[in-house]
Amino acid sequence: TKSAGGSVTVTDDDTIERSNLSRQFLFRNWHVGNGKAKTACGAVNEMNPDINVVPMEDRVSPQTEDTFDDKFWHNLDCVCNALDNVKARLYVDTRCVFFSKPLLESGTLGTKCNTQVVLPHKTENYGASADPPEKQ
C-alpha cells in the first residue's frame, strides 16, 4: 500500500542513453531508449513500494507554465534539481524564490558540478551568484 499523504513528482522530458548508465544509478542497460522519469519512478517503487512517486514527461520551463502552474508550485514542500544546463537551473530557481520553496540545487556542466541548499529568506538563491569566467 502507498503511504498516506505525500508524493514525489519526478519530471524529465528526456530518454535514457547509454552514456547515462555510468552516472545515474536507477537505470540499467535494458532501460536505454525509455523515458527517464517513468523509469526512475519504477526503479524507486521496486526499492520501496510504499513511496508514492508520480512521473511526468514535461520540461519545467516558461513554455509549460500551464502544466507547472501556481497550484503545482503551491502544493510542493520542496524542490530537488538535477539539471545539466544553467538556463533551466535559473528558471527553477526563480520559481522557487517566487513561491518561497526550499531548493536542493544540484547539477553538472561539463566537468563541473554544483550543489547548493537554498532556504527561502535564509540563504542565497542559486541565481544570486555566478562562477568566475574560465581562464583560457
Side-chain angles (χ1 to χ4, degrees):
T1 64
K2 300 286 182 191
S3 59
S7 65
V8 175
T9 300
V10 177
T11 187
D12 196 326
D13 67 339
D14 203 3
T15 57
I16 300 163
E17 298 175 20
R18 190 157 307 284
S19 64
N20 300 136
L21 301 178
S22 64
R23 65 182 185 276
Q24 296 174 351
F25 69 94
L26 296 175
F27 305 145
R28 303 291 178 259
N29 285 329
W30 57 87
H31 294 137
V32 171
N34 295 340
K36 287 182 177 180
K38 192 176 284 190
T39 302
C41 289
V44 167
N45 273 143
E46 282 184 34
M47 289 185 260
N48 184 346
D50 292 332
I51 293 178
N52 184 22
V53 287
V54 179
M56 296 179 71
E57 295 183 333
D58 299 291
R59 181 179 300 249
V60 180
S61 71
Q63 292 74 32
T64 57
E65 287 182 358
D66 57 330
T67 300
F68 302 105
D69 56 10
D70 289 2
K71 181 180 178 186
F72 174 85
W73 289 96
H74 283 297
N75 285 333
L76 298 176
D77 292 318
C78 65
V79 175
C80 296
N81 264 355
L83 297 167
D84 61 1
N85 74 77
V86 173
K87 184 177 178 182
R89 289 182 202 158
L90 289 169
Y91 176 75
V92 171
D93 179 63
T94 62
R95 303 312 289 166
C96 289
V97 168
F98 183 83
F99 289 100
S100 293
K101 298 299 177 181
L103 169 64
L104 173 57
E105 205 308 300
S106 67
T108 60
L109 189 61
T111 58
K112 292 183 178 182
C113 63
N114 180 68
T115 58
Q116 181 179 354
V117 176
V118 178
L119 301 174
H121 314 291
K122 295 186 185 292
T123 64
E124 181 177 74
N125 64 302
Y126 174 77
S129 63
D131 285 344
E134 293 203 33
K135 295 179 181 176
Q136 296 294 333

